[in-house]
Every structure is written in structure tokens, then in C-alpha cells.
Amino acid sequence: MSPVALTSRLRLPEVVLVLAVVSACLALACGAPADTARPTIRMVFAAAVNPGDLTVLMANRAMRAKGYAVEEAFFANSELAAAALARGDVEIAVGGMSPFWAANLKGADLRAVVGRSDNGYQLLARAGVATCTDLHGRPVAVSTKGALPTALINAYLTHCPGTTPQQMSIPNSTDRLSALATGRVDAALLQRVDVWHLQRRAPGTFSVVTDYNAKTPPLPFIAVLARASYLAAERATVVAWIGEKLRADRRALVDPQALLDEARHWPELEASELELLRAESAAHAWHPNGALTAANILDTYRFFVDRGILGDGLAPSSLADLSLLEEALSSVGGPVPVDAPQ
């Protein structure tokens, strides 16, 4: 089934219309025949499809082979995805967790169930920007106020008090890449795959100022989430899907060609190259055991609370339901050593 592709340039007046159109399209399966033998899984992604989504898409393909109908839509940012999930327009969402937890603070009941992948955010800059203090007064591309890229930039700036760049809000990583490539900004927080493409396109023009994987504790900022009511009603379906996601993650760590094979189904990922996917695999972008633990979920929440992105009002049980991941891990033979991908 063809996905519903929504651009990253949605404006706020369009949000209600977009949600209504996507909800209707998903309900009708966008013209695809529905399989009544299995529950339908309606899934929204918080951004345009990118390499980090590949094992989610592989899991969806495996579920379709088992007779499930899986429908995909792509929104402009996590706030839109959180709204769709909270409203019941979709059953599952993939995106940065902070907007979903922000929805919980307003009465929603959304839970993380498994990690997606590690985006490997890096601060990439033009010549003349080599340190934190070099950013002062310069235009820097960040995301929306409550989004992860903005939180990471602000966390980095705490190491150089008095440094105040001109922050430009550009929600989508691909658009931040374009802004940096065309000279609209001097630095941008980008996903590792975007850094890879830009440095290949213009060697020697840009340099990595900071790599957040190297500078901060590894936190599972991006996850797969669902409403608690859906998890209770369709537990077996979600556990089966998580099992397929774990199989895909483990395969990605040893067989980058499988990632490339999935990328070929997506015109937006035509630029994916085996060399890039091998690099992502070698960087352990995917986690063989689902990435989430009670400890790192709480640490991730505290990261956003400590930086004023989220309020300090959610109990750990309101952040995630890891019992489904535990059940899915049992179905694939249990956890494996993280340093020995399977």
C-alpha cells in the first residue's frame, strides 16, 4: 500500500485539515483492500521517512505478510503526530518522545513501548565555527521550541555561558540541512545521515562541532508509542509487531543490505547508499533489545524536565509500558549482548 506522504512545510492553519484528511484516508486504507481477519494498525511518523525508520518499515512489511493491514502516514513533526495519537486518529506513532509526554501532562494517556533508532545528532557548521563560543551572534538552525534538537543545542550552550546564537526554528532535519548548505545559517543540528550526505556533497566545507553521542549519555529520545487503551485492547498485536521490530533491528546490525532492500521501496530514500547504511549499522543505530529500560526512560524524561521542555508531573508508569517489550523479547529468544549484534 502506498504511504500517505505529508510535506514538512505544513502551517498551523492547515493542521486540523491535515488531521481530518489523513484520518479519513487511513480509515479507508487509501484505496487498499482491508484485511478483516486481523486488526488494522494505523501508524503515523513524526517526520518524513528517513533511514532511521527502516526497521520500523521492515516490521510493518513482516506484519502485512502475516495478514495484518498496516497503514502509514508521515507528518511534519512530533507535535502533529502526538495530536493524532491522542485523538485516536492512529493507533501507533513514531517520533521524539517529549511532545507525547507533553500531551500526557494535558490528559492524554500515551506510552512508549520500544525504541526506534539512534539518530546520532551532530552540530555541523561552516568554516569559522569550531567551538561553542564561535556560535555567538551567528544564525543556527534548530527545531521547534519543545523538540529534541532545540533541547540538545541549549544543553550544549550551557558549556559556554554568554554565547547567544540567532536560533532559527526549522522543524525538519532535511530542511535544516538545506539551510546550512545554501548559507542561510552557519550551523545546524542534523541527524547523522544528513551530516554524511552533506559532507559527501561538499567535502571540506563543513565540520562537526559536537557529536551528541560522544558528549552526552545515550538516551532513547525517539520511540514507538501508543495509547494505553489500545495497548490493553490489542496487546497481542502490539507484542507481535514489537517482535518483528526486534528481528528487523537485529538483522540491520549484521546485514545492511536488508536495510537497502527496504529503502528501495521508498522514493524518498533513493539516495540511500550501502556505504551509509553500513556506517549506521556499525554505529549501532539500531538496538537489538529494543533500547528502552525503566532507567533510561526516566533519565530521558529528566533531561527534558531539567531543561524546561516538560513539566515535572508524570509518574514513571505514565511514560512507558515496557511489559510488552519484555514479552516480545521472550518471543525472539530473549535479550542478546548489546556489543555482539545478532
Side-chain angles (χ1 to χ4, degrees), residues 26-38:
L26 289 175
L28 295 173
C30 297
D35 186 337
T36 57
R38 301 273 193 177

Side-chain angles (χ1 to χ4, degrees), residues 124 177 181 190 192-208 271-279:
L124 193 68
L177 181 150
L190 302 173
R192 185 171 49 222
V193 293
D194 291 330
V195 170
W196 188 89
H197 281 299
L198 190 53
Q199 289 185 319
R200 285 283 297 269
R201 187 191 310 169
T205 305
F206 306 95
S207 60
V208 174
S272 294
E273 300 177 29
L274 188 57
E275 182 183 349
L276 165 63
L277 297 176
R278 281 175 175 158

Side-chain angles (χ1 to χ4, degrees), residues 126-144:
R126 290 181 164 273
V129 179
T131 66
C132 182
T133 55
D134 292 334
L135 295 172
H136 186 72
R138 292 178 180 264
V140 177
V142 297
S143 187
T144 54

